Amino acid sequence: MTAGLAALVVLVVVLPGLVVDHDLAGARIGAAERLGAVNNVRTTLLQAVGGAVVLFGAYATWRQLRVSQESLNATREGHITDRFGRAVDQLGSEKLDVRIGGLYALWRIADHSAHDREPIVSIMAAFLRTHLPWPPQGSEALSAETSVNSVPPLETRAADAQVALTALGVLCQEGRRPDWLNVSYSDLRRADCDGLWLCGINFDGACLEAASIYQANLTRTSLIAANMRHVELGTSILHQCRCIEADLRGARMVKSDLRDADFSEADLREANLRKVRARGARFTGADLRLADLRGADLTGADLARAKLRGALASDLTVWPPDFDIRAAGVVVAEDPGDEPSILLPAAALARNVRPLRSA
């Protein structure tokens, strides 16, 4: 404190005179003029000191704010970590409502923390794989042979799994996510996936029988050897989707986007493919017998070795160049006209599916 006062006295009292004498270099001026020059120097020095004090104060304030912000961030990260750990612990509970609470807690964390979104999405996928394996395991699980009409909707049969699936489909749309999510070999019969974003997810070998996937985005999704009988895929996007050897018997895919999708060796008997956009799609070796292809756009589609006997087509169906529909056994019928919109969500969950004629 004393040193600071001494430095201030020197700066204000002594230094201005020395500066003036140095500038005069021995020249003589009147006392009044010298006093004015000394005061001018003193004023300049005081302004410089004041500016330095203001700058130092601003820096000190900024530094304090930064330290406070870092402290708040550390505290926030600590709270998120604690909430994350508690939510994950809840997933292992034997009580359904506790597991659902844990899933919603993770979902909320993902909404507020972009850094945690990717691991949370992976946890949702792992939850589905481990809690609903396909084929079903355990004495209480519905067997694989159970008629789908006797299987309750997923939101009733396993409400926690439906929450995890919905969270997965919403969070994948909102930002950072793993490049490849694994939900393969999961029992998702009669699941509600309406409007979800399921791009690039691995559903290989999963059972999605009678699931409602209306207006969903499945771009680049893998559904190899998946059971998708009676699935509702109306107006969904399956661009570059891999449905190789998938069972799509009785599936409803009206107005779906199937561009560049791969249905090689898939079973599409009795599937409703009216007005689908299937430019460049692969149906190599696919079974399309009794399928409804009226109004479908199959421009550039690969139909090599495809079975089409009894399939319906109309004058609005667009075939690849030089494709002989007569030789393939396609039946030309009247076009059904405009397709009615699905007004209620999850239509596939509420209906009883008809037995397949081709079963």
Side-chain angles (χ1 to χ4, degrees):
M1 184 69 178
T2 303
L5 290 174
L8 184 62
V9 169
V10 171
L11 184 68
V12 175
V13 178
V14 179
L15 187 60
L18 296 176
V19 171
V20 170
D21 292 341
H22 178 271
D23 289 343
L24 289 174
R28 295 181 176 277
I29 61 173
E33 292 180 352
R34 185 177 185 282
L35 181 60
V38 168
N39 287 336
N40 289 337
V41 172
R42 183 177 291 119
T43 301
T44 301
L45 290 175
L46 288 175
Q47 289 175 344
V49 170
V53 170
V54 171
L55 288 175
F56 179 78
Y59 171 77
T61 302
W62 171 81
R63 183 64 182 172
Q64 183 62 36
L65 288 174
R66 184 173 179 179
V67 171
S68 300
Q69 186 63 45
E70 290 176 352
S71 177
L72 287 173
N73 289 338
T75 303
R76 178 176 177 271
E77 288 296 324
H79 287 324
I80 290 177
T81 301
D82 291 341
R83 290 168 56 200
F84 192 102
R86 289 196 301 269
V88 172
D89 288 340
Q90 288 179 272
L91 301 187
S93 174
E94 296 182 356
K95 296 181 179 180
L96 175 63
D97 54 346
V98 175
R99 295 197 300 273
I100 292 175
L103 289 166
Y104 274 115
L106 287 173
W107 191 347
R108 182 174 176 81
I109 292 171
D111 280 336
H112 290 84
S113 174
H115 176 74
D116 295 299
R117 183 176 292 118
E118 186 171 344
I120 287 174
V121 168
S122 297
I123 288 172
M124 299 293 183
F127 184 88
L128 290 169
R129 288 198 316 272
T130 56
H131 282 70
L132 286 178
W134 180 262
Q137 300 175 5
S139 57
E140 297 181 359
L142 292 168
S143 70
E145 291 74 27
T146 302
S147 169
V148 71
N149 288 329
S150 300
V151 176
L154 184 62
E155 59 188 357
T156 301
R157 174 167 56 95
D160 50 351
Q162 180 63 67
V163 171
L165 181 61
T166 303
L168 187 71
V170 173
L171 293 173
C172 283
Q173 183 180 5
E174 294 178 347
R176 181 179 175 183
R177 48 150 291 177
D179 293 332
W180 189 249
L181 286 169
N182 185 12
V183 193
S184 60
Y185 297 97
S186 299
D187 182 4
L188 300 175
R189 287 174 287 181
R190 301 183 78 100
D192 181 3
C193 306
D194 290 345
L196 297 183
W197 195 278
L198 303 171
C199 300
I201 296 180
N202 178 8
F203 286 105
D204 293 349
C207 184
L208 290 148
E209 188 172 5
S212 184
I213 317 178
Y214 180 68
Q215 287 188 342
N217 192 334
L218 291 90
T219 301
R220 295 185 301 277
T221 295
S222 185
L223 291 155
I224 297 174
N227 180 350
M228 301 177 71
R229 290 193 295 267
H230 306 290
V231 71
E232 167 62 62
L233 282 163
T235 68
S236 288
I237 301 172
L238 286 83
H239 183 52
Q240 297 181 342
C241 186
R242 294 190 297 174
C243 296
I244 302 169
E245 297 182 353
D247 186 350
L248 286 149
R249 285 177 289 171
R252 188 177 187 275
M253 307 168 72
V254 177
K255 293 184 178 180
S256 292
D257 182 356
L258 311 181
R259 290 173 300 161
D260 300 316
D262 193 347
F263 291 91
S264 298
E265 307 296 335
D267 192 343
L268 289 150
R269 286 176 288 173
E270 302 181 56
N272 187 341
L273 295 160
R274 292 200 296 263
K275 296 180 173 58
V276 297
R277 291 169 290 164
R279 288 174 173 261
R282 293 176 57 88
F283 293 96
T284 308
D287 194 341
L288 288 153
R289 289 175 292 176
L290 304 178
D292 192 343
L293 296 166
R294 288 179 288 179
D297 184 358
L298 299 166
T299 304
D302 184 354
L303 295 169
R305 297 185 290 103
K307 301 174 184 176
L308 286 154
R309 186 161 300 279
L312 293 179
S314 69
D315 293 337
L316 298 179
T317 303
V318 181
W319 298 95
D322 303 325
F323 184 77
D324 189 348
I325 63 173
R326 301 293 181 184
V330 175
V331 177
V332 178
E334 185 179 354
D335 192 84
D338 293 336
E339 295 290 335
S341 300
I342 297 178
L343 300 179
L344 298 176
L349 302 183
R351 75 168 195 267
N352 288 326
V353 299
R354 298 176 182 177
L356 292 164
R357 291 174 288 165
S358 56

